[in-house]
Amino acid sequence: MTKLDKILFKILNGLSDNNIDFTEFLNLLMRLGFEMRIKGSHHILSKDGVEEIINIQGKNGKAKPYQIKQVREIIIKYGLNSYRDE
């Protein structure tokens, strides 16, 4: 299991929302095909075919739990549970 597989698993199972590294979280979203732009501390991600726009910020090197939950819902809604096809 690769590092990205582990992060995706953590996000999808919902048991580690308080303990996901922000940089690894961003890397996963980029591998899932999201495009990123940065405005200040806000990382704004979008993807063709995904209606929602993701706006995330790190805190002490970790992703914020409520933002992990929002991303989990998007991953499930759009079936983005694999980055290998991208």
Side-chain angles (χ1 to χ4, degrees):
M1 186 180 265
T2 68
K3 193 173 216 179
L4 287 176
D5 289 331
K6 290 178 184 177
I7 299 299
L8 183 58
F9 180 77
K10 281 183 176 182
I11 290 170
L12 291 176
N13 79 19
L15 300 176
S16 300
D17 288 358
N18 292 322
N19 196 26
I20 295 182
D21 182 78
F22 184 70
T23 303
E24 292 174 352
F25 184 49
L26 276 179
N27 288 339
L28 175 67
L29 291 172
M30 299 298 289
R31 289 292 302 269
L32 289 172
F34 285 88
E35 295 181 10
M36 179 176 59
R37 64 184 173 92
I38 300 172
K39 186 164 185 167
S41 65
H42 295 257
H43 294 70
I44 302 162
L45 298 108
S46 61
K47 177 180 169 100
D48 288 340
V50 175
E51 185 177 321
E52 295 86 355
I53 295 174
I54 300 170
N55 183 350
I56 59 176
Q57 312 85 34
K59 183 176 182 181
N60 299 324
K62 301 289 182 187
K64 295 180 179 180
Y66 78 92
Q67 293 170 344
I68 299 287
K69 182 180 178 196
Q70 290 172 346
V71 168
R72 178 173 42 255
E73 291 171 359
I74 291 169
I75 289 171
I76 292 168
K77 178 179 178 180
Y78 293 97
L80 304 174
N81 57 356
S82 176
Y83 56 86
R84 290 178 180 84
D85 300 332
E86 302 297 327

